[in-house]
Amino acid sequence: MSLLALTLACRCVFQLFYSFFKSLVGKDVVVELKNDLSICGTLHSVDQYLNIKLTDISVTDPEKYPHMLSVKNCFIRGSVVRYVQLPADEVDTQLLQDAARKEAMQQKQ
Amino acid sequence: MSDSEQQQNAAQECAPQWPEKGEEWSDVEDGTEMDCGLLQAMAEEDEEINVYNEETFGMDLDSHGTTDGPGDDLQFGKPSPPTPPPPDPKPPSPRRVPSPPRQKPQYLPRTAPGHRGRFRGQRGGLGRGQMFEDPAVMRIVEGRPSIKSLDSAIVDYGSAMIRSNFEYDRLSPSYRKTRRISGSVLQDSAIVCVIGHRGRGQHLNSSFMDFPYPASTFRGRRGEPRGSFSRRQFGHRGPSQMHAPMAPGSPVFSRQPLTPRQLYNQPLTPKMMQLRFGANSPRPSPFYSPSSNPVQHLRYPGPVTQLHPQHKRLLTQKQRMFQRKLEGWDPYCNLMTGKEKEWIIRLQMIQLQSENPYLEDYYYQEYYRRKEAKMAEEELGIRSKREPPKLTTPYITKTDTYTPVVHIEGSLGQVAVSTCYSPRRAISAVHAVQAQSPHEEQKDTRQQRLEILSKIEKLFIVLLEVEETERMKTTVLSEAEEKRFMEKTQRKVAHIYSQLQHHPDSGGEFLPFLLVSKGKKLVARLLPFLQRDSALNVLCIVTSNLPTLMSRDSDEALPVLYPPLRNVIGGLTFSQLIGLLKDLMSSESLTTFECLTLACQNKFGLSLLYALLSHGEKLLSSGVPLEPSIGDFETWTDVIFQVAGQLSQCSLVEPLLLPSNLLTLFCRYLDKRTVHQLKSNMESATAFLALPS
């Protein structure tokens, strides 16, 4: 039960990015990690910690990471992500701004 | 009779001789037969265990000659340890065969006693020593790639099915050996179904086909002991999983079901409890189960993820495009059963449930709602309007509320309850506003800009509320509520309007806000809500200050104002239109020529001009009585000529929209040559030919 309590505690943090990434599920993204590894793949799922699951991945940089050659799907812990490169036409910036405003409003309350 | 004793005894054995001591070892007939067919032995391990189960738990009437008490039963029946034991390396020599089982806490300590006669009969000559093989030891599967898939973690049935594409060679024993039992955390690794040998024609139990048969999705296990047990848990999904097993000739059938009594003799593992936790949740269809198709190119994020129907549709489209056949069997892919995965996912999803998804999940919901609306619009022309898809709301309504401040009887003061939703606020960050004295002449421009931006943000929040109310209005039906909403909306809109209008010591109404791109967006979104005259006022301001706005529009955010302003223009009277045109021509004390030049070279300006002219033309040609003021028509013709002159001479930018009736307008007043020149000039800027309306 303590596991449940712990997981529930994370709910109060804002869900803007989770909501945002959810809308990108199924699209191709490039995730750059803090260890400079860049992985290109299809966004399969995301959770509230912004852990990312990618399918059908390929390492974008010239393959200086040969150990990734055989990997098809991967799970990336949210805390190690530096950037996520998105397709621009899949993002509604105006909506994102509104969502951020709402988020800020909620947080104040 | 302890284990250690027997271990010693076993260890002492140099030859596969069973220790003579102990009642368990009463039967020594097969003691000397230690076959080296380890493979076969291991392959048939479970068989023995199952047999033992039956016998121990009362099915079999053979006299065991064993004095094993219930303790032993328990010990034996104890299912596999929660973590699959590492595959036991095959003992290098037959001698060691007896010992591993001893060291294992449970598996087959007592198989031997008294059952050998049975075994002999059934196994047809297999060495008795083999029955002591560790059931958890991987068996070597002939002809199939992965041993590891036969860990006491269970190979996913679904994937096995898919692997064979439903056309497996049913008679192939090797295939059967790799068969998997889904959802089988319950399953004892000791009872992991040994598919092959059992199914080898011996016990094809047609009763398996009967549904009333305990919903044994665990095919071929004589873990039918779990049959009725599992029915309680998985009965609701038994049928769904029966489909696959219904493939004719599927071999794994149990020999005979064990009575329910046997179930309760077996202690419940933690895993069983865990499964019980998740068992009542709706079972997703096999298609959605991630385990069912591990190498699918793009699959659903899992059975428990709730997707907007629009999103789902897009994903399935993609899936259909990218389906491809399996690339190979991944031996590591199914370490967790589907059930386990679902349980974990469900646990994570609990915290994501919300009773107000539109608010907390705003971006996602709104994004797909808009996409849906857009696609519906497109499809409207193609086919008749379908029934709008209903959004499944998976979210629960949370009934428990918390009171942030609790007053306990008899206590002084109040106790602040700090929960995970509202941690106690140690510091309240107050928005620091610098109070500037109104008489101060020099204000930092940056400060001013910040003030404006901050004000815009505050107004935006109000605007979002207005839009939200507007959206909800479509669902609310009752008159009184609708009126209330209208009032609230109007109040808010008026508030925003007044705030925008009157900014302390900045030039002009609205202007400071319009100079900022965020302000332009705010105004653009506010315009549809404004009353007619308020909107007209805004339009006037824009037109009068057009040069300034155009020159200071570095972000090119002005076009965002075009659509709402065009709507406003569409409602103008002729006099109002003329007034606006006059403003435009002589804004900011520039000459008409300069104004027009500037306008022609700015996308927004040109589009605005076109829109005004187009509306005038519409009014004139519509035949509606215009009620013009004195001098209106003169002004109108003046404007036409001046604009025509300007347009034909200077280079034009591409407008946002080229109204189709402009050329008609010009034709009426100008000669053909001029019109022709105009036309070519205008069209060179635009991509398309303006068809006369």
Side-chain angles (χ1 to χ4, degrees), chain B residues 223-269:
Chain B
E224 264 11 316
R226 323 270 182 179
S228 45
F229 176 70
S230 62
R231 175 167 43 182
R232 273 190 285 124
Q233 289 195 352
F234 304 106
H236 58 279
R237 58 171 208 150
S240 75
Q241 288 203 347
M242 298 285 259
H243 298 315
M246 280 307 121
S250 36
V252 276
F253 302 123
S254 69
R255 200 166 56 115
Q256 26 174 252
L258 297 176
T259 63
R261 176 163 67 95
Q262 297 155 14
L263 293 174
Y264 302 104
N265 285 334
Q266 296 169 4
L268 293 176
T269 56

Side-chain angles (χ1 to χ4, degrees), chain B residues 80-92:
Chain B
S80 61
T83 57
D88 212 25
K90 297 189 230 347

Side-chain angles (χ1 to χ4, degrees), chain B residues 581-582 585 596 609 613 634-644:
Chain B
L581 281 169
K582 270 200 274 192
M585 303 295 233
L596 285 178
L609 182 62
L613 291 174
E634 288 86 10
T635 319
W636 173 249
T637 36
D638 273 347
V639 168
I640 300 289
F641 281 116
Q642 281 175 324
V643 170

Side-chain angles (χ1 to χ4, degrees), chain B residues 318-598:
Chain B
K318 253 197 178 184
Q319 262 176 337
R320 273 183 240 124
M321 289 193 324
F322 289 118
Q323 285 271 2
R324 54 178 193 228
K325 51 192 200 77
L326 296 182
E327 296 177 347
W329 178 241
D330 178 7
Y332 296 99
C333 69
N334 289 308
L335 292 176
M336 282 173 76
T337 64
K339 266 291 196 177
E340 286 172 316
K341 290 181 203 172
E342 279 166 43
W343 179 70
I344 296 287
I345 292 174
R346 238 173 251 129
L347 191 65
Q348 291 176 313
M349 292 298 282
I350 285 174
Q351 54 184 296
L352 292 171
Q353 288 169 339
S354 81
E355 59 272 16
N356 190 358
Y358 193 77
L359 189 63
E360 295 185 7
D361 202 13
Y362 176 72
Y363 183 87
Y364 179 75
Q365 302 286 341
E366 187 63 22
Y367 184 78
Y368 278 99
R369 194 187 64 81
R370 292 188 188 185
K371 243 194 170 162
E372 205 160 21
K374 234 185 289 177
M375 295 190 64
E377 258 180 58
E378 290 170 16
E379 285 176 3
L380 205 53
I382 302 171
R383 53 186 125 155
S384 63
K385 194 155 193 217
R386 299 176 291 163
E387 175 190 295
K390 296 174 183 48
L391 173 62
T392 54
T393 41
Y395 302 99
I396 54 156
T397 44
K398 271 212 162 73
T399 52
D400 49 349
T401 56
Y402 69 95
T403 47
V405 173
V406 171
H407 181 79
I408 301 175
E409 288 302 317
S411 72
L412 297 172
Q414 294 171 328
V415 179
V417 173
S418 156
T419 70
C420 62
Y421 295 104
S422 78
R424 211 176 315 179
R425 291 182 194 210
I427 309 167
S428 58
V430 180
H431 178 66
V433 177
Q434 284 192 17
Q436 300 250 352
S437 92
H439 299 300
E440 216 176 82
E441 301 280 345
Q442 271 109 24
K443 270 195 175 177
D444 193 16
T445 45
R446 196 158 46 107
Q447 175 69 27
Q448 202 174 8
R449 184 182 160 84
L450 284 178
E451 267 183 33
I452 291 179
L453 287 174
S454 140
K455 204 163 185 185
I456 291 175
E457 278 300 324
K458 292 198 183 91
L459 295 174
F460 240 117
I461 292 173
V462 184
L463 180 66
L464 285 176
E465 289 173 11
V466 168
E467 288 180 344
E468 185 71 24
T469 321
E470 197 63 31
R471 186 192 73 90
M472 287 211 315
K473 236 170 62 163
T474 55
T475 60
V476 171
L477 294 174
S478 84
E479 283 243 1
E481 277 195 347
E482 212 172 305
K483 237 177 78 171
R484 215 161 18 94
F485 278 140
M486 284 273 309
E487 278 174 25
K488 244 194 336 180
T489 312
Q490 283 309 312
R491 242 184 304 130
K492 288 188 183 159
V493 168
H495 169 75
I496 302 176
Y497 183 76
S498 64
Q499 286 289 306
L500 287 175
Q501 210 174 16
H502 306 295
H503 187 81
D505 51 42
S506 318
E509 306 177 344
F510 300 107
L511 201 55
F513 298 99
L514 284 174
L515 289 172
V516 186
S517 53
K518 224 194 278 188
K520 292 184 188 106
K521 287 191 198 137
L522 177 63
V523 172
R525 284 168 71 169
L526 181 67
L527 270 168
F529 295 103
L530 285 176
Q531 306 283 351
R532 184 74 164 273
D533 40 0
S534 314
L536 185 59
N537 193 15
V538 175
L539 181 57
C540 283
I541 304 272
V542 170
T543 323
S544 321
N545 296 291
L546 199 56
T548 318
L549 286 174
M550 290 192 295
S551 64
R552 288 176 67 171
D553 183 32
S554 48
D555 299 335
E556 301 221 5
L558 268 176
V560 77
L561 283 166
Y562 179 73
L565 285 179
R566 185 143 200 268
N567 289 338
V568 178
I569 290 173
L572 289 175
T573 67
F574 193 67
S575 308
Q576 290 168 335
L577 177 67
I578 298 298
L580 280 173
L581 281 169
K582 270 200 274 192
D583 283 340
L584 199 148
M585 303 295 233
S586 57
S587 45
E588 300 176 6
S589 59
L590 297 170
T591 66
T592 309
F593 177 78
E594 287 166 342
C595 288
L596 285 178
T597 319
L598 284 172

